[in-house]
Amino acid sequence: MLLDFGRAGWMDKARQQPDKVRMVWDKIRSDGLLPTIDAVKDKIDQPLPLGYCNVGEIIGLGAGVKGFSIGDTVASNGRHAEVVCVPQNLCARVPVGVSPEAASFTVLGAIALQGMRLAEPTLGETFAVIGLGLVGLLTVQLLRANGCRVLGIDLDPTKCALARVFGAQTVDLSAGQDPLRAAEDFTSSRGIDGVLITASTRSSDPVHQAATMCRKRGRIVLVGVTGLELSRSDFYEKELSFQVSCSYGPGRYDATYEDKGQDYPFGFVRWTEQRNFEAILGQLATNGLNVQRLISARYPFGNAPDAYSMLAEDRSALGILLDYPPREEVPPQRTIEISPLPSPSNAGSSSKEPRVAFIGAGNYATRILIPAFRDLGTPLVRISSRGGTDSALAARRFGFRYASTDISTTLEDPDINTVVITTRHDSHADLVCSALKAGKHVFVEKPLCLTLEELEVIQSVHAGTRDDFNGGPILMVGFNRRFAPQIVKMKNLLEGTQEPKALIMTVNAGAIPASHWTQDLASGGGRIIGEACHFIDLLRFLVGHPISSVHSVPLDSPTHDTATLQLSFADGSIGSVHYFANGSRVAPKERLEVFAGGRILQLDNFRSLKGYGWPGFNKMSLWRQDKGQKACVEAFLAAIRQGHPSPIAFSELLEISRATIDAAAIAGSR
């Protein structure tokens, strides 16, 4: 499916993802055409790491991992790579006597097993399996192991023949055989007890076919991918049940289970995805599953492109295995050289020419920050990411010399004097402190930190890097909106106004699922800290005086991401940040209004600025949205080159961080 999608043109991609097309139209209406085109092109250009299951030896354990030891052979759902990092609940130990080849079918077997569990087969029942690919043939075997009679249906006579080897009767659609007539004969006109659909097609015919061949109160489980234009009469008259199976089993897509390792109680959730892995491995250990006959080809890992060509071109292919070379005794390299260009010998942490390393290679880094640093002529030395794939791709795309998963090496590199941190929010404080201690200038994407305790540590470390001669390394937070051209214009206009100001910032943030990492208080800090800090900084910049108090009024919601933040300033100014996640995505995202001295400034979505009552100023419009990201980076680099202080005073960073953390606490998101 991924190969077909990747090879498709823009129009075919759009037809395959109508929900994404609607999102694109919404973004055009809210942000404009050019920013939307840039975002779509960047998203489509991002390669997807492939892989479904791998089997290998544990070479390292993370903190808190239980039930595994270094040297264990395990099966996991990790990507295709020589070294992978996999959460503990997505691994299962391979029993003695099960070959790596057989164990590599664990994840696919778990998909078949979960679909079968939902169908609840009992001894002697009749089942149809529509689609005899890999998952379908595994499903046939599992149903037979449960004492069921099985009717397999497919267009490929070779796969039908293989299903017969596994004990099924078959219907070869390519030979014109009638599946409904076959099902009637198979059940002596009683109807099939249950149907598992393991086919992949855009058509809704398999669902209609399944409903037609079922007995009254039969069960249909969709394991594969089909159209879902259901006929009410098909299901109403027989009181059929229809269910879609979710991958490997309970726990799938639950970040608490998969990423944080929190298991479900055994007595209440007997079969999780990990326990389904273990069940498949148990069947392999007792020869309850025959997977050797499902292997169509083997390729050395270095010939993986040939394997994917076979997958795309030979629709009769089943299991295609990739064999990795034997692991060497030396530890795997965590840093690779992408560009062999030599570094200047005089470049070091003392040089005023920024030489940059990125820690984090996510979407914002690759779309916004890295292009900004590159376009401003900054040497890009290293980029690190947790998984390695993202950093390697970004290094090749933007011209970094090294790609790495080793942060410590990045911080110790004397050829680097500037570190840009674009990781998840919970890592910001530690990385900022480590980089400052290493004598590096730091640009950290917001927020600076998540707690007041972290802020105190940063303050202490920052103070320890100061001296009487050069002031120490610069610390900058990516509060880019204050650098936007229309905000700079507003600031200039407001400089001549002595009266206190009233500011209203309305943010149509849009809903994000509670399961998203930014909503997680431990890793993302919640959206008030993670994003609303931008707008607290923006109001603080325009007022030009310290924040004297902060309060928040939240909307009662599970995610605590809809609230009004009320700010008071030392000069008597007041400001409100309406951060709302319950609006329409079609509407513009941001609107800022400033009332001062009988005049008004109104900024809509960083494209149109209007002035009311300002002598000599009426309007400032831009062809495309500019939120000041490049200007923010430019100011940071200029400060390094010229030996100036940070473009945003450290005292302001502390003030904004405290105000944001306090507002989040009052709103209930901390």
Side-chain angles (χ1 to χ4, degrees):
M1 181 183 69
L2 288 176
L3 290 174
D4 290 344
F5 180 78
R7 293 177 174 184
W10 277 54
M11 293 303 297
D12 284 338
K13 283 183 169 71
R15 279 192 288 267
Q16 291 180 47
Q17 296 187 312
D19 55 327
K20 296 292 192 297
V21 174
R22 287 191 292 271
M23 291 172 62
V24 168
W25 280 116
D26 290 347
K27 186 172 180 63
I28 290 173
R29 284 195 286 266
S30 63
D31 295 349
L33 178 62
L34 294 179
T36 302
I37 290 175
D38 290 344
V40 171
K41 288 177 63 178
D42 186 80
K43 192 70 174 177
I44 289 178
D45 287 342
Q46 290 179 1
L48 291 174
L50 300 175
Y52 224 94
C53 181
N54 56 47
V55 177
E57 178 185 329
I58 294 177
I59 61 173
L61 294 172
V65 172
K66 298 178 181 179
F68 296 98
S69 301
I70 292 177
D72 286 348
T73 299
V74 294
S76 82
N77 79 328
R79 297 166 174 172
H80 287 330
E82 290 174 283
V83 179
V84 296
C85 179
V86 184
Q88 68 175 18
N89 282 348
L90 292 177
C91 281
R93 189 182 291 104
V94 177
V96 175
V98 176
S99 70
E101 283 192 347
S104 67
F105 286 84
T106 297
V107 174
L108 289 166
I111 294 173
L113 180 59
Q114 174 62 13
M116 188 194 71
R117 291 198 193 286
L118 293 176
E120 299 181 339
T122 59
L123 184 71
E125 283 193 308
T126 58
F127 269 81
V129 178
I130 301 178
L132 296 176
L134 262 180
V135 175
L137 289 169
L138 288 165
T139 302
V140 167
Q141 295 186 64
L142 292 170
L143 286 167
R144 291 290 296 148
N146 273 262
C148 297
R149 297 173 59 233
V150 181
L151 181 68
I153 304 170
D154 201 274
L155 284 161
D156 188 332
T158 304
K159 293 174 182 175
C160 289
L162 197 50
R164 290 194 293 273
V165 172
F166 296 144
Q169 295 186 36
T170 61
V171 178
D172 181 0
L173 299 178
S174 68
Q177 296 178 7
D178 184 353
L180 301 181
R181 178 61 182 272
E184 188 174 353
D185 294 341
F186 186 66
T187 62
S188 301
S189 301
R190 294 173 177 170
I192 294 284
D193 292 301
V195 180
L196 285 106
I197 304 173
T198 53
S200 178
T201 175
R202 298 180 187 178
S203 170
S204 300
D205 289 347
V207 181
H208 171 71
Q209 188 180 87
T212 304
M213 65 175 58
C214 270
R215 64 168 172 83
K216 275 186 174 292
R217 298 196 174 183
R219 294 98 72 192
I220 302 171
V221 176
L222 176 60
V223 181
V225 180
T226 70
L228 287 176
E229 295 179 3
L230 307 182
S231 167
R232 180 179 182 274
S233 61
D234 285 348
F235 290 83
Y236 171 76
E237 294 173 5
K238 294 182 179 179
E239 293 187 324
L240 300 176
S241 65
F242 176 79
Q243 190 166 4
V244 178
S245 178
C246 182
S247 199
Y248 326 138
R252 189 67 177 130
Y253 307 117
D254 180 349
T256 301
Y257 175 89
E258 292 192 334
D259 298 332
K260 298 182 180 179
Q262 183 175 317
D263 201 358
Y264 297 158
F266 186 87
F268 293 92
V269 185
R270 177 61 183 89
W271 296 109
T272 60
E273 51 186 318
Q274 185 184 54
R275 294 195 269 271
N276 277 339
F277 289 176
E278 294 168 347
I280 292 297
L281 288 165
Q283 286 294 104
L284 292 169
T286 58
N287 297 316
L289 277 177
N290 182 346
V291 296
Q292 292 301 318
R293 301 190 71 125
L294 302 180
I295 299 174
S296 297
R298 299 171 178 83
Y299 289 89
F301 182 61
N303 294 345
D306 295 335
Y308 282 106
S309 294
M310 180 181 184
L311 180 66
E313 296 164 7
D314 184 357
R315 296 299 179 175
S316 66
L318 292 170
I320 302 173
L321 303 186
L322 298 177
D323 288 325
Y324 295 82
R327 185 170 70 89
E328 300 177 1
E329 292 303 318
V330 295
Q333 291 190 0
R334 297 186 61 187
T335 299
I336 58 174
E337 187 173 27
I338 302 296
S339 171
L341 295 176
S343 300
S345 58
N346 64 344
S349 58
S350 61
S351 172
K352 286 190 175 182
E353 177 59 33
R355 296 186 60 79
V356 174
F358 267 75
I359 301 177
N363 186 50
Y364 188 76
T366 55
R367 278 195 59 225
I368 304 297
L369 289 182
I370 297 176
F373 276 86
R374 178 199 58 189
D375 294 346
L376 291 166
T378 310
L380 303 176
V381 183
R382 284 179 179 263
I383 182 166
S384 304
S385 67
R386 183 174 59 178
T389 304
D390 292 340
S391 57
L393 292 170
R396 291 186 175 94
R397 178 179 174 186
F398 295 105
F400 286 87
R401 184 176 181 187
Y402 298 104
S404 179
T405 61
D406 188 353
I407 294 174
S408 61
T409 302
T410 299
L411 296 177
E412 294 166 3
D413 190 343
D415 192 32
I416 293 166
N417 62 10
T418 304
V419 173
V420 183
I421 299 168
T422 60
T423 53
R424 288 194 174 186
H425 301 164
D426 58 332
S427 64
H428 286 189
D430 286 342
L431 291 174
V432 165
C433 291
S434 297
L436 289 175
K437 290 177 182 177
K440 315 295 186 185
H441 302 296
V442 178
F443 184 106
V444 57
E445 179 47 27
K446 52 78 190 167
L448 177 60
C449 60
L450 299 184
T451 67
L452 294 176
E453 291 77 14
E454 290 178 341
L455 190 62
E456 290 178 4
V457 174
I458 292 172
Q459 186 174 6
S460 176
V461 171
H462 184 268
T465 64
R466 308 292 97 185
D467 60 47
D468 296 332
F469 298 99
N470 57 28
I474 291 173
L475 173 60
M476 172 82 161
V477 178
F479 290 136
N480 52 274
R481 283 165 176 78
R482 62 161 63 194
F483 296 92
Q486 291 166 318
I487 295 296
V488 173
K489 180 65 176 179
M490 294 175 74
K491 179 72 170 177
N492 291 336
L493 291 170
L494 291 169
E495 289 292 344
T497 302
Q498 302 302 318
E499 298 92 336
K501 307 165 186 66
L503 304 93
I504 303 172
M505 183 76 218
T506 303
V507 185
N508 177 31
I512 291 179
S515 59
H516 193 271
W517 71 268
T518 56
Q519 302 277 27
D520 185 284
L521 299 186
S523 60
R527 297 179 76 189
I528 300 300
I529 288 180
E531 186 173 355
C533 59
H534 260 312
F535 309 106
I536 292 177
D537 171 76
L538 181 55
L539 268 57
R540 168 65 174 85
F541 172 70
L542 289 172
V543 170
H545 293 274
I547 299 170
S548 56
S549 68
V550 61
H551 188 66
S552 57
V553 181
L555 184 73
D556 186 14
S557 69
T559 51
H560 305 284
D561 58 355
T562 295
T564 291
L565 314 182
Q566 300 171 338
L567 306 174
S568 298
F569 297 87
D571 71 332
S573 295
I574 57 173
S576 296
V577 177
H578 301 304
Y579 188 88
F580 296 158
N582 58 345
S584 168
R585 291 188 180 275
V586 177
K589 185 176 180 181
E590 298 172 21
R591 184 174 196 181
L592 173 62
E593 296 171 289
V594 181
F595 299 76
R599 302 164 183 169
I600 299 174
L601 290 171
Q602 188 178 86
L603 174 61
D604 283 311
N605 219 28
F606 287 85
R607 294 183 68 189
S608 174
L609 172 62
K610 296 178 181 178
Y612 299 90
W614 297 89
F617 177 76
N618 293 313
K619 188 175 182 180
M620 177 183 176
S621 298
L622 304 179
W623 280 104
R624 62 182 299 161
Q625 192 179 65
D626 187 346
K627 294 184 180 180
Q629 288 101 336
K630 189 171 184 178
C632 178
V633 172
E634 188 171 18
F636 172 67
L637 295 175
I640 296 174
R641 289 171 174 140
Q642 298 165 15
H644 292 169
S646 173
I648 305 177
F650 182 66
S651 59
E652 282 191 47
L653 297 180
L654 296 177
E655 178 188 332
I656 293 157
S657 297
R658 287 195 186 99
T660 305
I661 293 169
D662 288 344
I666 298 170
S669 62
R670 288 303 298 172

